[in-house]
């Protein structure tokens, strides 16, 4: 069998893999990326948060993405009936980026891999990882291309950025149950032909239909929008119509705010449905490998933290791998896993408080003071490692403590 040799093999070319690959290449590491699909390919996860921009900047992607003219996102709007809550990222407590993008992931992910290929990174598209065998920190990965040919890639370090493919958790039996109850989502794209002019037409919005049921609207700069519903699994089962298209048309009619704008419009594809997407892993690293992004952990879409977690972990895993390959000792537990799990635990608290209704009470309450809102805004912007922020440091109880004092 043909064998290739690299320092680092990156599995998956989504945002996590792209950021990791870019950082490795900049540090002079020999690497290869293997990606099962051909880009552009559809993937959900279209609302980014500002913390990602730090990673795109470090990876050298911002200029190329900027040139594509994707819609800029300066905050997030939440609706509940007549109530409106707007978080403006420029008012957040922590230092850092105060804008990001909302974009179709197919084009975005391809933009990143185009940049990598222009810089000479070897990306094998249409190539699927089948098995991995470790010998200490060295590994031999067997991949198969679309012609059905198999070959081996020998690497000194492996970064698993395979997202929902979860290559290493599957192969190494590292899947762990998620702490969240099973949720469901259905989503679609459409030509947003009744989009109002001005800011209203561009605002990303989360419309709360019931305490645990919310509807997203993500307008793209190409005139299309992404619409989606997130709810408990049983709720989606209960509202199913004859097919996914009819179910989605039914959902649109549940949103008082958006019914007129979207009712009766054709969809660009059959709405997709996905259930029980929350994932966890027993470990995020081992001898000779790190697991990043969705392959490591995914909680819930409500605060758009998925891509941020993917790029934070991709960037960090790449930098630590470089240090290890250069002969330095790396404490993967402390420097990688604990860092990532801290971010996960902050978002987990906010997601829990969202579905319990506490955070919704907080968001829509008129008497929450501006200073407190700035601190929560930092969390929504992804600055969940800034422990100067008490709403990060005491994430487990901060929101509940404030909410329970509200009339
Ligand atoms: P991915 O983007 O999934 O990339 C992984 C890549 O690995 C893929 O291209 C895949 O083809 C490849 N791969 C898989 N298996 C193999 C294999 N065996 N061999 C080779 N390659 C392989 N996140 C947000 O930030 N904002 C949102 O608004 C948002 N909305 C969401 C809505 C829903 C309903 C859900 C379920 C998730 C949402 N997410 C959102 C989460 C987001 O989709 C992910 O967190 C994000 O895409 C993870 O990036 P990644 O790079 O880890 O993986």
């Amino acid at each position: 069998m043909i064998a290739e040799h690299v320092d680092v093999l990156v599995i998956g070319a989504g945002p996590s893999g792209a950021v990791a690959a870019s950082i490795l290449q900049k540090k002079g590491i020999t690497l290869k990326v293997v990606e099962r699909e051909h880009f552009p390919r559809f993937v959900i996860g279209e609302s980014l948060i500002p913390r990602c921009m730090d990673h795109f900047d470090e990876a050298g992607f911002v200029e190329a993405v900027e040139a594509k003219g994707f819609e800029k996102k300066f905050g997030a709007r939440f609706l509940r009936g007549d109530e409106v809550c707007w978080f403006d990222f420029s008012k957040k407590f922590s230092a850092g980026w105060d804008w990001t993008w909302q974009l179709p992931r197919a084009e975005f992910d391809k933009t990143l891999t185009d940049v990598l290929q222009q810089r000479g990174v070897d990306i094998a598209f249409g190539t699927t990882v089948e098995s991995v065998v470790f010998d200490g920190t060295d590994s031999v990965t067997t991949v198969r291309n679309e012609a059905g040919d198999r070959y081996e890639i020998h690497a000194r370090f492996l970064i698993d950025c395979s997202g929902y493919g979860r290559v290493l958790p599957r192969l190494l039996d590292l899947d762990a149950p998620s702490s969240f109850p099973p949720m469901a989502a259905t989503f679609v794209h459409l030509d947003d032909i009744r989009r109002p002019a001005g800011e209203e037409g561009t605002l990303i919005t989360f419309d709360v239909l019931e305490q645990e049921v919310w509807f997203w609207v993500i307008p793209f700069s190409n005139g299309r929008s992404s619409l989606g519903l997130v709810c408990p699994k049983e709720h989606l089962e209960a509202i199913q119509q004859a097919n996914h298209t009819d179910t989605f048309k039914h959902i649109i009619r549940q949103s008082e705010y958006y019914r007129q704008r979207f009712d009766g419009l054709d969809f660009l594809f059959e709405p997709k449905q996905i259930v029980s997407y929350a994932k966890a892993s027993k470990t995020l690293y081992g001898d000779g490998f790190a697991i990043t992004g969705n392959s490591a952990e995914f909680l819930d879409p409500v605060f758009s933290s998925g891509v941020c977690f993917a790029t934070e972990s991709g960037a960090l895993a790449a930098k630590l791998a470089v240090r290890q390959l250069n002969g330095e000792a790396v404490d993967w537990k402390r420097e990688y896993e604990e860092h990532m799990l801290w971010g996960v635990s902050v978002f987990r608290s906010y997601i829990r408080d969202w579905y319990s209704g506490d955070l919704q009470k907080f968001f829509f309450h008129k008497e929450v003071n501006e200073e407190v809102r700035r601190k929560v805004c930092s969390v929504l912007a992804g600055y969940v490692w800034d422990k100067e922020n008490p709403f990060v440091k005491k994430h487990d109880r901060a929101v509940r403590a404030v909410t329970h004092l509200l009339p």
Side-chain angles (χ1 to χ4, degrees):
M1 204 185 293
I2 298 171
E4 291 183 25
H5 294 260
V6 288
D7 288 329
V8 180
L9 174 65
V10 177
I11 307 174
S16 192
V19 164
S22 182
I23 289 172
L24 292 165
Q25 194 217 21
K26 282 171 170 243
K27 302 274 185 195
I29 298 292
T30 64
L31 75 141
K32 185 176 181 89
V33 182
V34 287
E35 166 57 54
R36 188 176 57 192
E37 309 289 331
H38 287 275
F39 284 12
R41 58 88 179 85
F42 181 89
V43 66
I44 199 64
E46 299 145 337
S47 154
L48 308 184
I49 52 176
R51 171 66 184 156
C52 299
M53 304 300 281
D54 291 302
H55 313 126
F56 297 139
D57 197 19
E58 187 172 5
F61 289 146
V62 173
E63 204 184 325
V65 180
E66 183 91 282
K68 295 284 174 179
F70 292 121
E71 193 67 51
K72 286 192 172 162
K73 173 183 166 187
F74 298 97
R77 179 169 71 171
F78 295 84
L79 302 177
R80 189 175 63 181
D82 297 341
E83 300 168 296
V84 184
C85 161
W86 165 247
F87 281 99
D88 175 347
F89 292 142
S90 71
K91 301 214 169 101
K92 69 185 183 321
F93 169 84
S94 305
W97 290 75
D98 52 20
W99 64 273
T100 182
W101 291 286
Q102 54 204 50
L103 34 69
R105 283 284 303 282
E107 283 78 28
F108 174 66
D109 289 17
K110 179 156 173 29
T111 304
L112 305 189
T113 53
D114 284 349
V115 171
L116 291 174
Q117 288 186 305
Q118 281 152 19
R119 289 195 203 137
V121 173
D122 176 6
I123 308 180
F125 287 102
T127 302
T128 305
V129 169
E130 290 196 330
S131 66
V132 182
V133 177
F134 284 93
D135 177 11
T137 52
D138 291 342
S139 57
V140 179
T141 299
T142 303
V143 299
R144 184 175 39 81
N145 65 22
E146 284 161 332
D149 303 325
R150 290 186 168 77
Y151 59 98
E152 289 180 347
I153 303 167
H154 295 240
R156 295 169 63 206
F157 199 86
L158 194 57
I159 307 187
D160 177 13
C161 309
S162 60
Y164 300 103
R166 306 197 87 227
V167 169
L168 287 188
R170 271 191 302 107
L171 294 176
L172 303 181
D173 190 22
L174 299 177
D175 267 329
S178 168
S179 52
F180 284 133
M183 297 291 282
T186 174
F187 39 89
V188 76
H189 288 178
L190 47 66
D191 281 318
D192 195 355
I193 52 176
R194 294 199 284 260
R195 180 182 286 184
E199 194 187 40
E200 173 63 29
T202 66
L203 280 186
I204 183 162
T205 303
F206 304 85
D207 185 7
V208 182
L209 304 182
E210 293 176 30
Q211 187 173 303
E212 295 185 296
V213 181
W214 56 276
F215 179 65
W216 82 62
V217 176
I218 306 177
F220 299 142
S221 60
N222 61 7
R224 295 178 167 179
S225 288
S226 167
L227 312 186
L229 183 88
V230 176
C231 57
K233 185 170 161 279
E234 303 73 34
H235 181 90
L236 186 59
E237 282 162 8
I239 60 167
Q240 293 289 0
Q241 312 288 310
N243 53 53
H244 290 188
T245 296
D246 285 354
T247 303
F248 212 90
K249 285 182 185 287
H250 167 81
I251 290 164
I252 285 173
R253 290 194 284 270
Q254 307 311 304
S255 168
E256 272 184 40
Y257 195 85
Y258 284 109
R259 190 181 303 136
Q260 281 199 323
R261 176 159 155 192
F262 298 124
D263 198 16
L265 296 188
D266 289 333
F267 302 139
L268 292 165
F269 50 81
E270 171 85 3
K272 296 176 192 291
Q273 295 197 353
I274 137 170
V275 282
S276 303
Y277 38 72
K279 301 286 177 213
S281 303
K282 289 175 195 158
T283 179
L284 303 193
Y285 71 95
D287 268 357
F289 71 88
I291 307 175
T292 74
N294 264 40
S295 188
E297 175 99 32
F298 180 66
L299 296 170
D300 187 275
V302 67
F303 298 125
S304 308
S305 57
V307 171
C308 176
F309 181 77
T311 54
E312 179 89 22
S313 54
L316 183 57
K319 285 183 275 191
L320 295 175
V322 172
R323 276 179 39 202
Q324 180 163 308
L325 292 170
N326 288 336
E328 261 187 67
V330 173
D331 182 346
W332 283 91
K333 175 129 200 90
R334 189 179 57 77
E335 296 182 70
Y336 183 66
E337 186 169 83
E338 286 177 10
H339 175 84
M340 291 315 307
L341 291 183
W342 170 264
V344 169
S345 66
V346 177
F347 274 113
R348 181 180 288 118
S349 296
Y350 280 76
I351 293 165
R352 176 202 64 198
D353 292 348
W354 171 264
Y355 287 107
S356 75
D358 282 339
L359 202 54
Q360 294 173 30
K361 183 174 179 193
F362 175 100
F363 277 17
F364 294 111
H365 208 287
K366 300 282 173 279
E367 286 169 35
V368 173
N369 83 41
E370 208 40 45
E371 197 49 33
V372 170
R373 290 176 60 81
R374 289 179 59 227
K375 290 173 179 152
V376 171
C377 186
S378 278
V379 173
L380 301 186
Y383 286 92
V384 293
W385 287 273
D386 175 9
K387 292 187 186 164
E388 297 294 308
N389 181 353
F391 280 76
V392 166
K393 191 161 178 214
K394 297 180 185 157
H395 60 87
D396 194 38
R397 51 190 190 281
V399 166
R400 283 194 276 193
V402 171
T403 310
H404 290 172
L405 294 175
L406 294 172

